[in-house]
């Protein structure tokens, strides 16, 4: 089973940028969708972005569209989340996850079954 490790979180001022990484070990991402989800204090975990590894197609939550970019490095078996123009409401713990969701349910987190431990992103105003 694939094991996931997220890195790259931290504290940044509003308007700044961060790049998160999700590295896989034990298996490759081939055949999977790799998603980023986040959970703010007191809120439910929500979908942020996803990349279908084999096809390279990407999907985003409306709240991050145009500001975040998900991408991959096949040689490093790693998925990135480049976050620009960060806002205080982007604060939360960011998790990467893998699964094989159908396209119409690609943002549904219950369809992802391997999760990383999360990395904290804090955006100050």
């Amino acid at each position: 089973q694939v094991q996931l490790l997220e890195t790259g979180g931290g504290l940044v001022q509003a308007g700044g940028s961060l790049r998160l990484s999700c590295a896989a070990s034990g298996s490759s991402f081939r055949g999977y969708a790799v998603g980023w989800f986040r959970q703010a204090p007191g809120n439910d975990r929500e979908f942020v972005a996803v990349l279908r590894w084999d096809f390279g197609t990407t999907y985003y939550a409306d709240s991050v569209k145009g500001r975040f970019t998900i991408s991959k490095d096949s040689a490093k078996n790693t998925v990135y989340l480049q976050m620009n123009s960060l806002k205080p409401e982007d604060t939360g713990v960011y998790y990467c996850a893998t699964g094989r969701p159908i396209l119409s349910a690609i943002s549904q987190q219950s369809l992802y079954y391997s999760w990383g431990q999360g990395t904290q992103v804090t955006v100050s105003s």
Side-chain angles (χ1 to χ4, degrees):
Q1 186 174 356
V2 63
Q3 296 179 333
L4 306 175
L5 178 65
E6 304 101 330
T7 56
L11 172 64
V12 65
Q13 288 188 329
S17 298
L18 282 174
R19 189 178 78 159
L20 306 182
S21 300
C22 175
S25 61
S27 179
S28 86
F29 283 131
R30 191 172 298 131
Y32 290 96
V34 184
W36 284 98
F37 299 81
R38 67 186 180 189
Q39 186 167 22
N43 289 0
D44 293 333
R45 191 163 54 190
E46 64 177 5
F47 167 76
V48 175
V50 63
L51 178 145
R52 298 172 73 202
W53 185 267
D54 293 355
F55 305 101
T57 49
T58 59
Y59 305 88
Y60 298 91
D62 287 343
S63 60
V64 307
K65 209 170 288 184
R67 299 188 298 123
F68 290 12
T69 302
I70 188 170
S71 63
K72 68 178 185 178
D73 184 328
S74 298
K76 295 182 178 179
N77 211 27
T78 298
V79 170
Y80 302 101
L81 185 69
Q82 177 67 44
M83 305 186 295
N84 298 330
S85 302
L86 282 161
K87 305 175 181 179
E89 52 263 43
D90 294 318
T91 293
V93 179
Y94 282 68
Y95 301 89
C96 69
T98 60
R100 293 191 170 103
I102 57 174
L103 190 56
S104 60
I106 203 163
S107 63
Q108 190 171 332
Q109 56 183 295
S110 63
L111 300 180
Y112 292 78
Y113 38 80
S114 293
W115 291 81
Q117 84 292 344
T119 186
Q120 176 70 45
V121 171
T122 304
V123 184
S124 64
S125 56

